[in-house]
Amino acid sequence: MRPLTDEETKIMFEKLAKYIGEGIKDLIDRPDGVYCFRLHKERVYYVAEDIMLKATNVCRENLISLGVCFGKFTKTRKFRLHVTALDYLAPYSKYKVWVKPSAEQTFLYGNHIMKAGLGRITDNTPKYQGVVVYSMADVPLGFGVAAKSTAECRKSDPMTIIAFHQADVGEYLRNEDSLT
Amino acid sequence: MGRNQRDPDRVVRGPGPKSRRQKDLAMPKNYDITEEQEPNKKISSRAKVRAKKRDLKKQLLTSLVEAKAEKKEADKIEEEDEIKEEETLQLLSDDDSDDMPDDEFDLDDDDDHVEAEIRDRVIGEMRGEDHEDDSSDDEGEDGELPIERKTKQVLQKRSQLSKDCNDNSAQNLRSHAYLFDKRAVKENNIQTNIAETETFVLPSGQEIEKENTLLFKNHIHQRIKDVVAVLSDFGNKRDPERTRKDYVNVLRKDLCTYYSYNDFLLSKFMDMFPLTELIAFLEANEVNRPITIRTNTLKTKRRDLAQALISRGVNLDPLAKWTKVGLVVYESPVPIGATPEYLAGHYMIQGASSFVPVMALAPQPGERVLDMCAAPGGKTTYIAQLMKNSGFIFVNDINKARLKAVVGNMHRMGVSNSVISNYDARSFPTIMGNFSRVLLDAPCSGTGVISKDPSVKTSKDDSDITKCSHLQKELILAAIDSCNAQAQNGGYIVYCTCSVMVEENEEVVNYALKKRNVKLVQTGLEFGVEGFCKYRQYRFHPSLKQTRRFYPHSHNMDGFFVAKFKKFSNKIPSSDDVKEKQEVKE
C-alpha cells in the first residue's frame, strides 16, 4: 500500500474528471475528515485517513481491501474505473442517462443502451462524454460514455446506440472475482 | 450432422430397414397342452416322498371333511378362517412350512396341494353341487390353461366365503396390512375377533435389519409413530417383556433410516430433545426456511424497498416484531438475488438467524469493531449499517476465496469504513487489538442448518465435533483478548454458532468464563430458548441461562446459539490465579 505518484494521480483524475468534472474537489476536501487515495496491488482505494493508518498494521499479502476500490491501473498504465466507484460517481455526476424499466435488464447484462431503451438524458450532453446510468426510479445502475450528443439522439432511430456500456452493477454477480 | 449430409441425392426406395417387424409368435401345430401339464419325467426320490406326504394329507383331509359334515353351521366360520389363513400364508410365501428346498417343481406341488384342499372343502360345504363342474374343468376341454382354472376356483371360493362371513373377512383383510410374520397373523386374527384394541408388537433386531431393505418408508413412519405413542405412555402401552431401552433403540434406528441421519448425530439429538420435540426438529430440518432479506438502511428505507419489490410482483411481509429491517419473501416471479434493487445494494439475502448476533452485539456509531470470521459478509454489512458507516470495522476471514464475496458485498452495500484482511483468526491480538466490540461467528459443524446443507446428516461424527469445539475455544480466547475492557461503553464480545451441539456452544462459553475475566450479560433478545446450565454429564456456570438458543421447529429460523460477554478486566488470569479462585470457592 502506497500513495499514488504524481503521474498516477494525473491519469486517475483525468479519468474521473470525465464523469464528475469539478466534483473531484469534493472528494478530496471533505468536511467529515481527511480522505486519501492509496494504491494496493495495482488497485486504487479511496479511504479515510484514520482507517488507512489502521490498515498499515496488516501485512501486504493479507490485506485484501480497504475503504472503497475506485479502479485499477492496467499493465499499460491506463486507469480503469470499476463499478465499485459508482457510489462516489453518481452524486457528483454532471451528465446522466436514464433507462426505461424494460431496458434495465439488458443494460445490467452488459449491453449498450439503445435509443429504444432511453428514458431520459441530460440536456446538451456532448458526444463521448462520461455519463452515469440511472433507472427511472433514480437508482444508479452503472456508467458509460455517450455515443451521441443529446441533439443527435432526437434524430436517431430506435436501434442506434446512445451510450456505450463501461460498468454496471450486474458485475457484482457476473465477475465478483475480478472486483479485487 | 454428418449423417444428413451423407448423400443428398440418394433416392429412397422401400420402407427402409427399420420398418421391418418381427412376426407374431405362432404355436407349433403338434403342440399339446396336456403334455406340458404332465411331463413324462422320471420321478425323483424327493418327489416320491412328497407324493407320499400329499396322499397322507389328502386322506387326513377327507376324514376331517367327513367328520365336519356332521357338525353344525356355527362351527363353519372359524373353520373357514383357518383355510383363509393358510392360503394367505402361502401367498406371502414365508419360509414357514416348507422344510424342503424351493424349486419350481416344489412350488407346483404346493399349488396342487392347495387346489386339492380347496376342492375338498368346496365339496364338503356345497354338498357336491360344484363338484361336477370341477371334474369337467379338469379335462381342460374348453381350452383353459391350468392357471386360469385355479383362479376361477379361488374366486368361487372367495365369493362363497364372503357370503358366509362378510364382516369377518373384512376385518381379516384389514388386519393383514399389519402382518409381519405368521405369529402376528394368528394373534391379530384372534384379537380382531375378540376386541378392538391391539397392542403393538415390537420386532427383534434381526427382523428390523431385513425389513429396512424391503419395506417402504411409510411403514417405518408408522412404526415410529407407534413407538412414540408407546414411549409417551410407557406404563400402559408397553410390552412387559421389552425394556424402554429396546423401544428407544428401535426408534433411533427407524429415525436414522427415515430421515437418513447417521447414528451418532441422531443419538446426540435424542439426548438433547424430548421425543415430540425431536420429531418436530427432524421434520423442520426437511423443509427450507423462508427466504428473508435485510434492508440496507445506508441506501434505502424498508418501506421504499418493499414498495419497489412489490411493484416487481414480489409477495413479501415484514419479518417479525423484533426487527425493523427484515422482510420475508413468500414468492417472487423474478430471482430475488438478481433484481436491480439487489444489485444496487438495497438489500441483502440473509437468514433471520443471522440478524440475531448483530442485534446482540449492538455496535454503536464511531466504535472499533472486529468481525473475526466474516465471510460472506452478511453480518458485517449489518454491523456497518448499525454504525451508520462511521467508526471502523476490521473484517477478517481465513478463506481467501470466500473473501471475494465479502469484498463484493461490502462494496455493493456501500460500506466504506472497513479493512478486509485474510488471517487465521487465532493469531488475532498480535495483528490488532483494542477493539470495543468483537463478533465471533465461529466455524462449526453446522448442525443447525441441516435444511440448507443436508450432507451434515451423515458426514459428522464425534471427532468433527471435538475438532470444532477445540478450534472454537482457541478462537474465543483470541476474540476476548483482542477486545478492550476499558473501551467507552464497549468491551463486549458476541459468540455465535449455527450449531445446536452443547459441545460447541455452552461448553465453549463455559471454558471462556473460566479462562478469562469475562461475564455473561443479557443478549437483549426477548425470544429464544435459554442455554443449558446442566446437560447430561456437564455442569455449567449458572449464568449460562443468559445465552440464547434458536431452533428451526420453534422459531422457524436456522438452529443458532448466541452468547454475549462483557469483559471486565484486561488482565489475563494466569493458571495460578485460576487455581486460587477455585480454592477460594471451595
Side-chain angles (χ1 to χ4, degrees):
Chain A
M1 187 171 59
R2 65 169 171 82
L4 277 71
T5 60
D6 289 349
E7 179 72 20
E8 284 162 347
T9 315
K10 205 182 127 219
I11 296 169
M12 193 191 71
F13 277 14
E14 270 172 11
K15 186 69 164 228
L16 276 177
K18 283 180 184 164
Y19 298 88
I20 56 177
E22 302 295 298
I24 297 176
K25 259 189 217 159
D26 298 324
L27 278 182
I28 298 163
D29 307 324
R30 279 173 64 146
D32 57 337
V34 186
Y35 279 72
C36 57
F37 288 99
R38 281 292 180 273
L39 189 79
H40 175 64
K41 289 181 185 168
E42 293 305 308
R43 274 163 181 79
V44 176
Y45 293 96
Y46 176 68
V47 61
E49 196 158 44
D50 55 334
I51 289 173
M52 182 270 293
L53 288 173
K54 280 164 191 155
T56 50
N57 288 354
V58 183
C59 75
R60 193 185 300 160
E61 292 79 48
N62 297 96
L63 182 65
I64 304 295
S65 156
L66 68 156
V68 173
C69 177
F70 260 47
K72 70 167 185 181
F73 279 102
T74 61
K75 295 214 163 66
T76 52
R77 304 315 290 171
K78 289 191 177 67
F79 184 71
R80 174 173 291 171
L81 275 169
H82 278 170
V83 68
T84 45
L86 185 65
D87 278 343
Y88 290 90
L89 296 184
Y92 303 113
S93 65
K94 287 197 290 192
Y95 297 98
K96 299 169 187 179
V97 168
W98 286 264
V99 293
K100 288 177 184 165
S102 55
E104 266 177 23
Q105 201 76 356
T106 53
F107 179 70
L108 291 179
Y109 277 54
N111 299 313
H112 303 308
I113 299 169
M114 305 284 186
K115 172 74 193 297
L118 184 70
R120 240 167 19 144
I121 185 165
T122 316
D123 270 346
N124 54 48
T125 309
K127 206 172 185 180
Y128 305 134
Q129 164 70 42
V131 290
V132 174
V133 180
Y134 285 80
S135 75
M136 291 310 273
D138 275 336
V139 177
L141 297 178
F143 50 86
V145 168
K148 296 262 191 295
S149 67
T150 313
E152 282 173 318
C153 281
R154 296 212 173 92
K155 284 176 275 178
S156 52
D157 59 317
M159 290 316 285
T160 47
I161 293 167
I162 298 299
F164 296 120
H165 166 274
Q166 278 185 331
D168 66 88
V169 288
E171 283 171 34
Y172 284 121
L173 291 186
R174 288 206 306 275
N175 13 337
E176 197 176 56
D177 292 351
S178 62
L179 287 175
T180 50
Chain B
M1 269 159 64
R3 223 174 190 212
N4 291 339
Q5 288 172 350
R6 195 194 292 148
D7 187 9
D9 302 329
R10 194 167 62 104
V11 182
V12 183
R13 217 183 279 165
K18 283 191 180 172
S19 64
R20 215 167 284 158
R21 255 189 86 219
Q22 205 171 21
K23 275 179 188 168
D24 289 332
L25 189 70
M27 282 287 209
K29 270 179 187 172
N30 50 356
Y31 182 79
D32 196 7
I33 299 170
T34 49
E35 211 175 279
E36 176 80 347
Q37 211 173 1
E38 285 172 21
N40 286 332
K41 269 188 193 172
K42 244 190 169 181
I43 300 167
S44 69
S45 57
R46 278 191 168 170
K48 276 176 195 165
V49 175
R50 268 174 268 154
K52 249 188 194 175
K53 252 192 178 178
R54 217 184 303 150
D55 284 344
L56 255 171
K57 269 191 181 175
K58 241 182 198 172
Q59 279 175 7
L60 233 160
L61 268 170
T62 43
S63 63
L64 253 173
V65 167
E66 277 167 12
K68 273 175 189 170
E70 292 164 14
K71 279 190 182 177
K72 285 183 183 177
E73 294 280 314
D75 291 345
K76 267 186 189 172
I77 297 164
E78 277 182 19
E79 192 186 279
E80 279 152 9
D81 270 359
E82 257 173 64
I83 305 164
K84 182 96 188 173
E85 187 191 304
E86 269 177 301
E87 193 188 47
T88 45
L89 280 175
Q90 250 138 19
L91 285 173
L92 287 169
S93 72
D94 269 359
D95 44 350
D96 40 13
S97 59
D98 299 336
D99 41 4
M100 289 169 232
D102 285 342
D103 55 332
E104 261 184 65
F105 204 70
D106 198 21
L107 275 174
D108 270 1
D109 263 10
D110 274 0
D111 280 355
D112 282 356
H113 168 72
V114 174
E115 198 184 320
E117 207 178 278
I118 289 164
R119 210 182 303 143
D120 288 346
R121 291 281 164 196
V122 173
I123 293 163
E125 262 132 49
M126 305 297 290
R127 285 154 207 259
E129 280 176 11
D130 281 355
H131 180 66
E132 282 144 28
D133 258 19
D134 274 11
S135 57
S136 68
D137 273 4
D138 263 346
E139 301 306 310
E141 276 176 358
D142 32 22
E144 277 181 341
L145 290 173
I147 194 117
E148 282 175 324
R149 257 180 285 138
K150 269 178 217 164
T151 45
K152 251 190 183 177
Q153 283 167 355
V154 172
L155 279 175
Q156 261 177 0
K157 202 174 70 67
R158 277 208 187 140
S159 63
Q160 183 60 33
L161 283 173
S162 62
K163 264 181 217 164
D164 287 347
C165 46
N166 248 335
D167 0 4
N168 219 358
S169 61
Q171 266 181 348
N172 276 347
L173 277 176
R174 202 183 43 183
S175 62
H176 279 313
Y178 292 95
L179 300 187
F180 305 133
D181 56 3
K182 191 178 163 189
R183 195 163 46 94
V185 175
K186 274 185 181 164
E187 277 178 15
N188 263 344
N189 268 353
I190 294 160
Q191 276 165 3
T192 44
N193 284 340
I194 296 165
E196 283 285 283
T197 52
E198 319 167 7
T199 49
F200 172 69
V201 182
L202 199 69
S204 71
Q206 255 191 346
E207 283 172 313
I208 290 164
E209 287 294 331
K210 214 162 85 183
E211 274 166 31
N212 285 348
T213 53
L214 294 172
L215 290 180
F216 296 108
K217 255 194 158 183
N218 47 7
H219 196 125
I220 295 173
H221 188 57
Q222 184 60 43
R223 194 162 61 208
I224 291 170
K225 272 188 193 164
D226 289 338
V227 176
V228 169
V230 171
L231 284 173
S232 58
D233 188 9
F234 199 64
N236 295 331
K237 291 186 180 169
R238 69 178 289 193
D239 178 351
E241 288 165 17
R242 302 303 188 96
T243 60
R244 180 179 278 273
K245 208 174 176 184
D246 292 338
Y247 278 94
V248 170
N249 281 340
V250 168
L251 180 65
R252 196 180 62 237
K253 270 206 179 125
D254 282 346
L255 288 173
C256 280
T257 11
Y258 189 72
Y259 294 102
S260 53
Y261 283 82
N262 65 7
D263 215 37
F264 165 76
L265 199 61
L266 203 86
S267 28
K268 281 277 175 194
F269 287 150
M270 280 184 107
D271 293 344
M272 199 176 300
F273 298 111
L275 266 184
T276 46
E277 213 178 317
L278 174 74
I279 305 279
F281 176 77
L282 296 176
E283 273 306 327
N285 280 340
E286 298 300 304
V287 289
N288 285 328
R289 304 277 81 75
I291 300 169
T292 50
I293 59 178
R294 173 175 56 78
T295 322
N296 183 12
T297 48
L298 294 174
K299 290 202 169 183
T300 183
K301 289 178 197 157
R302 183 164 77 164
R303 200 193 311 141
D304 297 344
L305 173 69
Q307 225 153 36
L309 287 178
I310 285 167
S311 71
R312 291 194 189 277
V314 180
N315 186 2
L316 44 73
D317 252 340
L319 175 56
K321 261 187 206 163
W322 47 266
T323 173
K324 281 182 179 168
V325 290
L327 287 165
V328 56
V329 178
Y330 296 118
E331 58 175 334
S332 164
V334 288
I336 202 76
T339 63
E341 281 78 20
Y342 175 81
L343 294 170
H346 289 186
Y347 63 90
M348 180 93 190
I349 300 174
Q350 194 174 23
S353 58
S354 302
F355 292 39
V356 172
V358 182
M359 289 165 70
L361 188 70
Q364 306 298 314
E367 284 183 335
R368 270 168 75 117
V369 178
L370 169 65
D371 188 350
M372 288 181 105
C373 309
K379 295 184 193 74
T380 321
T381 49
Y382 193 17
I383 293 173
Q385 93 179 40
L386 287 179
M387 289 164 70
K388 303 198 171 72
N389 227 345
S390 67
F392 169 56
I393 306 176
F394 198 97
V395 185
N396 180 69
D397 199 279
I398 195 169
N399 188 338
K400 211 165 195 172
R402 298 212 331 144
L403 273 173
K404 291 200 157 95
V406 180
V407 173
N409 279 327
M410 297 294 260
H411 280 101
R412 188 169 58 82
M413 306 294 265
V415 178
S416 58
N417 60 346
S418 64
V419 170
I420 303 171
S421 76
N422 171 223
Y423 280 109
D424 186 339
R426 283 175 287 186
S427 56
F428 234 87
T430 56
I431 301 156
M432 196 184 284
N434 200 18
F435 288 97
S436 40
R437 282 166 210 265
V438 180
L439 174 66
L440 173 58
D441 182 8
C444 63
S445 61
T447 47
V449 287
I450 290 171
S451 58
K452 267 190 205 162
D453 178 17
S455 68
V456 174
K457 284 178 179 180
T458 48
S459 61
K460 299 294 172 206
D461 60 15
D462 202 14
S463 67
D464 288 311
I465 306 291
T466 327
K467 269 181 211 158
C468 274
S469 180
H470 183 249
L471 177 64
Q472 284 155 351
K473 281 172 185 168
E474 287 178 293
L475 285 173
I476 201 169
L477 292 191
I480 292 169
D481 289 345
S482 39
C483 185
N484 180 13
Q486 263 83 52
Q488 208 178 18
N489 61 43
Y492 291 103
I493 300 108
V494 167
Y495 171 82
C496 62
T497 62
C498 56
S499 169
V500 291
M501 293 287 160
V502 172
E503 288 84 353
E504 295 180 73
N505 298 327
E506 278 87 349
E507 207 204 327
V508 175
V509 170
N510 199 50
Y511 174 83
L513 288 177
K514 272 187 207 158
K515 288 281 179 180
R516 290 291 183 272
N517 286 329
V518 287
K519 60 180 180 192
L520 281 167
V521 291
Q522 288 289 343
T523 50
L525 308 160
E526 63 263 37
F527 65 112
V529 182
E530 287 177 359
F532 293 107
C533 293
K534 287 184 204 166
Y535 177 76
R536 296 178 74 80
Q537 76 270 33
Y538 301 112
R539 294 293 171 272
F540 300 126
H541 194 268
S543 67
L544 259 140
K545 69 167 186 282
Q546 283 173 331
T547 62
R548 284 284 178 272
R549 290 177 150 262
F550 301 92
Y551 294 126
H553 56 283
S554 43
H555 305 100
N556 199 17
M557 51 211 278
D558 294 326
F560 221 75
F561 174 84
V562 179
K564 186 179 185 180
F565 297 95
K566 169 100 174 94
K567 190 172 178 184
F568 54 85
S569 157
N570 278 338
K571 202 185 157 210
I572 296 174
S574 62
S575 52
D576 301 340
D577 290 352
V578 175
K579 272 179 197 166
E580 272 175 32
K581 242 191 203 175
Q582 280 174 347
E583 277 167 19
V584 168
K585 265 184 191 174
E586 281 163 9

